[in-house]
Amino acid sequence: MARFSTALLATISLVGLAWAGASPRPLVVWHGLGDSAYAPGMLQFAEGIKTVHPGIFVHLVYIEEDLDKDRQAGFYGNVNEQVQLVSEQLAAIPELQGGFDAIGFSQGGQFLRAYVERYNSPPIHNLLTFGSQHTGISDIPTCRPRDLLCQIARRATNSAVYGSWAQENLVQAQYFRDPANLAAYYSANHFLTSVNNEIAETRNETYARNLASLNKLVLVLFTEDKTVVPKESSWFASEVVEDSADGQQRVFADRRTLVPMHEQPLYKENWIGLRDLDERGGVVFSECEGEHMQLGDCWEDLVREWAGGLVY
Ligand SMILES: *[C@@H]1O[C@H](CO)[C@@H](O)[C@H](O)[C@H]1NC(C)=O
């Protein structure tokens, strides 16, 4: 029997696809905090996807058209404005107009979810989020030792997280949600409270309808994640609070007691359409072994299964 090289096989399958009039659904990737659309790691990831799905169109979301400035925009900026900017960016890309799958790394995951709820034009088919903070974070991640940009942002965020400057300018503050201090969060936060439809008076039914229109929402959690607190935010869980002796609320001492997605009011009362989506089998819980965003080859099977499906 003849032996074909993989390159030849890839060519043959490409020709086969073209023959059948089919091509893989395009893919959009929104990078995480500390990364950039132009970082070597992201470009490499895009190449990796193209080996899994030959012929796929991949777009890397950017806020700024420059490696360092784009990285900076992950720390500083107004998230609502960034999501709007990205909605305009995606709407202007001809290859995406029939819809696309999307992958959000870390905070990019909740930002893409915001895109679905608020814009979704063109629409996302499958949304995969890796280590994202869907129910926020209750602590600001520590920084790598010499990462000054990160350290300054962390210090500023911690010192006045619910201040109006932080809520307009520090990205992490806009998904900081301390379950022991919800009153401050509800009144100060204009991003996560909104995309989670947490404020009854301003709840937006379009958000719920749009999220429920996803084919699949694939929620990937990193089993050893020590950056995202709590890591189960990737699965829409949050920490349980208790009343302490002085009548103040505080997070349960071990921080490990969690309200899982199915017990969240957001889910039970279907504020964002998550229950609708889940009840028809549209929510997939998945895990990658390791610390936050240590992808290894964990992405490969997920991308094979949930991205790049053939469109005729
Ligand atoms: C609800 O969200 C949609 C989509 O973003 C928007 O067009 C609409 O104005 C919002 N409705 C209200 C009442 O804010």
Side-chain angles (χ1 to χ4, degrees):
M1 223 183 95
R3 283 171 169 259
F4 295 104
S5 72
T6 39
L8 184 55
L9 277 179
T11 313
I12 290 175
S13 63
L14 259 182
V15 171
L17 289 182
W19 193 314
S23 54
R25 185 176 283 109
L27 181 70
V28 167
V29 185
W30 195 329
H31 64 78
L33 183 70
D35 219 329
S36 159
Y38 308 97
M42 287 302 294
L43 301 173
Q44 221 170 45
F45 182 69
E47 288 312 308
I49 287 175
K50 290 173 189 169
T51 34
V52 174
H53 294 296
I56 193 171
F57 174 85
V58 180
H59 173 73
L60 302 178
V61 165
Y62 58 89
I63 302 296
E64 299 279 350
E65 290 180 74
D66 169 89
L67 193 154
D68 289 328
K69 283 187 186 158
D70 193 49
R71 177 168 190 268
Q72 199 166 348
F75 290 98
Y76 297 101
N78 179 305
V79 176
N80 290 326
E81 289 172 13
Q82 292 187 347
V83 174
Q84 186 184 341
L85 185 102
V86 169
S87 78
E88 290 159 13
Q89 181 179 117
L90 301 180
I93 299 173
E95 289 87 343
L96 300 178
Q97 296 318 299
F100 55 93
D101 296 316
I103 292 180
F105 284 162
S106 197
Q107 66 183 18
Q110 61 263 29
F111 300 168
L112 279 168
R113 178 163 64 86
Y115 167 81
V116 172
E117 295 177 8
R118 292 180 180 164
Y119 305 97
N120 211 31
S121 169
I124 296 185
H125 181 72
N126 290 337
L127 173 60
L128 292 78
T129 69
F130 286 83
S132 298
Q133 298 87 38
H134 289 294
T135 38
I137 47 172
S138 59
D139 194 11
I140 304 290
T142 51
C143 305
R144 282 179 306 224
R146 271 172 304 181
D147 193 339
L148 213 62
L149 179 64
C150 174
Q151 279 161 14
I152 294 168
R154 181 171 199 266
R155 216 166 298 146
T157 308
N158 264 334
S159 66
V161 70
Y162 290 130
S164 60
W165 186 82
Q167 290 293 323
E168 294 285 326
N169 295 287
L170 297 177
V171 169
Q172 293 172 95
Q174 294 162 67
Y175 54 85
F176 185 87
R177 183 183 186 278
D178 179 0
N181 192 9
L182 288 179
Y185 161 77
Y186 290 145
S187 68
N189 185 290
H190 303 296
F191 171 70
L192 196 65
T193 54
S194 162
V195 294
N196 283 349
N197 258 341
E198 287 181 278
I199 314 289
E201 299 77 54
T202 53
R203 209 158 278 157
N204 189 317
E205 287 176 15
T206 305
Y207 292 8
R209 209 169 33 246
N210 282 348
L211 191 74
S213 77
L214 282 174
N215 181 58
K216 297 280 181 195
L217 174 62
V218 182
L219 303 170
V220 185
L221 174 147
F222 288 90
T223 55
E224 308 304 317
D225 198 330
K226 289 171 190 67
T227 306
V228 174
V229 179
K231 66 174 186 280
E232 292 80 2
S233 188
S234 305
W235 282 355
F236 276 96
S238 61
E239 289 143 336
V240 170
V241 291
E242 62 177 14
D243 292 319
S244 59
D246 57 4
Q248 297 284 319
Q249 291 222 302
R250 64 182 179 83
V251 169
F252 226 72
D254 64 0
R255 298 189 84 99
R256 298 302 312 142
T257 312
L258 297 161
V259 187
M261 181 185 88
H262 292 101
E263 285 165 32
Q264 297 278 353
L266 166 150
Y267 177 89
K268 290 195 289 190
E269 296 169 25
N270 203 30
W271 295 343
I272 57 169
L274 190 60
R275 205 184 75 201
D276 287 343
L277 185 61
D278 185 47
E279 284 177 351
R280 65 167 173 76
V283 179
V284 178
F285 292 94
S286 190
E287 286 182 349
C288 285
E289 300 285 326
E291 171 50 301
H292 188 61
M293 290 312 298
Q294 297 301 302
L295 273 177
D297 49 18
C298 184
W299 61 272
E300 246 185 83
D301 285 342
L302 292 163
V303 162
R304 193 167 288 120
E305 184 163 9
W306 303 115
L310 293 183
V311 200
Y312 294 88

